[in-house]
């Protein structure tokens, strides 16, 4: 039996954040996300270019916790 996932607004946001963080396209951060993204960059996990954040190989190892923290805020 096939089960379809129902996406509510929170799930859609989580999906976009996770997808953006795991691709080279990056994730567009808001002003409220900037302090967290700056902490990732300072820790050596990400690169910030304007309003885009891209995880590097160290950030990829922490992708689940980074995405969870971002979508929980």
């Amino acid at each position: 039996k096939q089960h379809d996932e129902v996406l509510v607004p929170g799930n859609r946001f989580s999906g976009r954040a996770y997808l953006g963080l795991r691709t080279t396209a990056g994730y567009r951060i808001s002003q409220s996300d900037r302090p967290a993204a700056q902490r990732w960059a300072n820790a050596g996990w990400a690169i910030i270019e304007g309003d885009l954040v891209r995880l590097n190989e160290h950030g990829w190892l922490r992708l689940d916790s980074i995405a969870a923290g971002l979508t929980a805020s």
Side-chain angles (χ1 to χ4, degrees):
K1 182 178 179 179
Q2 179 181 347
H3 297 277
D4 293 328
E5 181 179 6
V6 177
L7 295 178
V8 296
N11 293 98
R12 287 187 189 117
F13 173 75
S14 297
R16 281 194 311 270
Y18 196 86
L19 180 63
L21 288 170
R22 69 180 196 152
T23 65
T24 57
Y27 177 71
R28 191 167 307 281
I29 55 174
S30 66
Q31 279 300 109
S32 63
D33 297 330
R34 190 164 287 281
Q38 191 60 58
R39 286 192 301 274
W40 307 333
N42 292 345
W45 304 340
I47 297 168
I48 301 171
E49 296 174 338
D51 61 349
L52 286 177
V53 63
R54 291 182 179 86
L55 298 182
N56 61 27
E57 63 275 6
H58 302 290
W60 273 48
L61 296 174
R62 295 164 177 83
L63 176 60
D64 289 340
S65 63
I66 288 172
L70 181 63
T71 59
S73 58

